């Protein structure tokens, strides 16, 4: 059973659920209350994979993920870019004239400000998009709408009063696919390596630690810092680079990195998504 199950955080119909169904249509998606529950489902064998959102092109990084991933016991084996198409959902019989309130996750509400302002709706924050859809389906109130996915509308029997209501056309969420066992792609194909590290608390440590990537021509596409252990001096960095650790440039860069850090941990080596490859090619042109 677990070999055909992929876990995600949220309720059925969440955008993470939609991503699971898009990438793995033959697998059963497993809703989990928290990110930790999705990780545990994979660790304990109740699911083979987990689909975890890491960042959004509008809202930025997903809160808490960078703290949770290094200790999840899982490995990143892939990435997926999911275009976010928000729908204004309501119960059958409702219309744009009857709705007065719109419920959704805080990020979804902020991503649809133009429509909310144009219709004069009162935004109300909900725990998540699919949960908001489920709630208005249960209440059957034609004055309340939800912002969620088309999938959530189908699952909870709602109608879409308006589709693609997000303000930004580029609204995209990047997901990471995680597994118990690592699954590295062969050398030569476009590859992403994700790792975390802590620099030593000495002057210019970060500058020196990153120098090896520059001198070896390794493209670093993400570098984010966050506090660990509640100590202001203990900072951990999360990084993505477009290279394979068995390739000489990245091997040399990681070797140099270790001179200036207390800990380096590779979280995954995985194929670059076609959207990433296309974007890199576009920037090169």
């Amino acid at each position: 059973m677990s070999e055909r199950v992929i876990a995600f955080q949220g309720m059925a119909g969440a955008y993470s659920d939609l991503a699971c169904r898009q990438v793995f249509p033959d697998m059963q998606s497993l809703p989990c209350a928290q990110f930790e529950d999705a990780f545990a489902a994979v660790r304990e064998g109740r699911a083979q994979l987990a689909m975890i959102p890491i960042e959004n092109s509008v809202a930025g990084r997903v809160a808490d993920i960078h703290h949770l991933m290094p200790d999840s016991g899982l490995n990143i084996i892939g990435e997926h870019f999911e275009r976010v198409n928000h729908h204004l959902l309501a119960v059958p019989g409702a219309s744009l004239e009857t709705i007065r309130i719109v419920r959704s996750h805080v990020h979804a509400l902020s991503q649809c400000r133009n429509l909310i302002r144009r219709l004069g709706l009162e935004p109300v924050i909900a725990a998540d998009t699919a949960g908001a859809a489920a709630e208005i389906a249960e209440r059957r109130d034609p004055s309340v709408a939800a912002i969620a996915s088309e999938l959530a509308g189908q699952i909870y029997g709602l109608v879409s009063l308006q589709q693609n209501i997000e303000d930004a056309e580029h609204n995209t969420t990047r997901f990471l696919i995680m597994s118990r066992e690592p699954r590295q792609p062969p050398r030569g194909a476009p590859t992403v390596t994700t790792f975390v590290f802590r620099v030593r608390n000495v002057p210019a440590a970060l500058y020196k630690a990153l120098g090896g990537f520059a001198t070896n021509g390794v493209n670093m596409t993400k570098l984010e810092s966050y506090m660990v252990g509640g100590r202001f001096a203990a900072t951990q960095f999360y990084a993505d680079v477009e290279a394979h650790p068995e390739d000489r440039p990245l091997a040399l860069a990681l070797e140099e990195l270790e001179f200036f850090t207390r800990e380096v941990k590779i979280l995954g080596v995985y194929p670059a998504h076609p959207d990433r490859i296309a974007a890199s090619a576009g920037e090169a042109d």
Side-chain angles (χ1 to χ4, degrees), residues 142-190:
S143 70
V144 183
I147 294 175
S149 69
E150 182 179 17
L151 176 63
Q154 295 170 354
I155 291 174
Y156 301 110
L158 302 174
V159 295
S160 178
L161 301 181
Q162 205 160 327
Q163 60 184 359
N164 302 340
I165 61 173
E166 59 278 1
D167 298 340
E169 293 183 2
H170 61 75
N171 194 340
T172 301
T173 299
R174 177 180 174 234
F175 291 87
L176 297 177
I177 302 163
M178 306 190 71
S179 171
R180 287 186 297 276
E181 302 297 329
R183 194 186 304 169
Q184 292 192 9
R187 292 174 59 185

Side-chain angles (χ1 to χ4, degrees), residues 40-60:
V42 179
R43 281 198 313 270
E44 296 165 5
R46 290 180 283 114
Q48 182 185 20
L49 303 172
M51 181 74 73
I52 304 296
I54 186 76
E55 58 191 332
N56 176 268
S57 62
V58 176

Side-chain angles (χ1 to χ4, degrees), residues 34-278:
Q34 305 293 333
F35 288 119
E36 295 96 322
D37 300 323
F39 292 143
V42 179
R43 281 198 313 270
E44 296 165 5
R46 290 180 283 114
Q48 182 185 20
L49 303 172
M51 181 74 73
I52 304 296
I54 186 76
E55 58 191 332
N56 176 268
S57 62
V58 176
R61 76 181 184 188
V62 176
D64 297 333
I65 284 299
H66 294 72
H67 292 275
L68 299 173
M69 282 179 50
D71 299 319
S72 68
L74 305 182
N75 300 272
I76 305 169
I77 63 167
E79 64 177 351
H80 171 64
F81 291 79
E82 182 73 28
R83 177 72 170 83
V84 177
N85 295 122
H86 288 308
H87 285 243
L88 184 65
L89 303 175
V91 296
S95 67
L96 294 178
E97 288 70 36
T98 66
I99 59 174
R100 299 288 180 268
I101 296 171
V102 61
R103 297 179 56 85
S104 195
H105 187 273
V106 61
H107 286 168
L109 292 172
S110 66
Q111 291 167 13
C112 302
R113 285 195 184 99
N114 291 343
L115 176 112
I116 293 173
R117 188 181 303 112
R118 187 171 71 249
L119 296 181
L121 302 177
E122 176 188 348
V124 176
I125 296 174
D128 54 62
T129 57
E135 182 178 342
I136 70 165
E138 182 177 350
R139 291 174 58 180
R140 313 302 295 177
D141 185 346
S143 70
V144 183
I147 294 175
S149 69
E150 182 179 17
L151 176 63
Q154 295 170 354
I155 291 174
Y156 301 110
L158 302 174
V159 295
S160 178
L161 301 181
Q162 205 160 327
Q163 60 184 359
N164 302 340
I165 61 173
E166 59 278 1
D167 298 340
E169 293 183 2
H170 61 75
N171 194 340
T172 301
T173 299
R174 177 180 174 234
F175 291 87
L176 297 177
I177 302 163
M178 306 190 71
S179 171
R180 287 186 297 276
E181 302 297 329
R183 194 186 304 169
Q184 292 192 9
R187 292 174 59 185
T191 301
V192 180
T193 298
T194 295
F195 57 95
V196 292
F197 64 94
R198 299 186 195 182
V199 296
R200 301 183 186 279
N201 193 19
V202 295
L206 179 60
Y207 173 80
K208 295 174 182 177
L210 298 180
F213 297 93
T215 56
N216 288 286
V218 177
N219 185 29
M220 181 173 287
T221 60
K222 174 180 285 292
L223 178 66
E224 294 192 349
S225 64
Y226 53 98
M227 188 188 307
V228 292
R231 293 176 295 166
F232 288 97
T235 300
Q236 184 153 285
F237 292 88
Y238 174 102
D240 289 339
V241 294
E242 293 182 337
H244 196 293
E246 293 179 4
D247 292 337
R248 181 170 173 80
L250 182 52
L252 291 173
L254 291 173
E255 183 178 333
E256 188 168 338
L257 177 66
E258 291 181 353
F259 282 114
F260 304 102
T261 57
R262 294 171 44 214
E263 178 185 14
V264 178
K265 183 177 183 180
I266 292 181
L267 303 182
V269 181
Y270 48 97
H273 190 271
D275 285 4
R276 176 191 292 274
I277 298 171

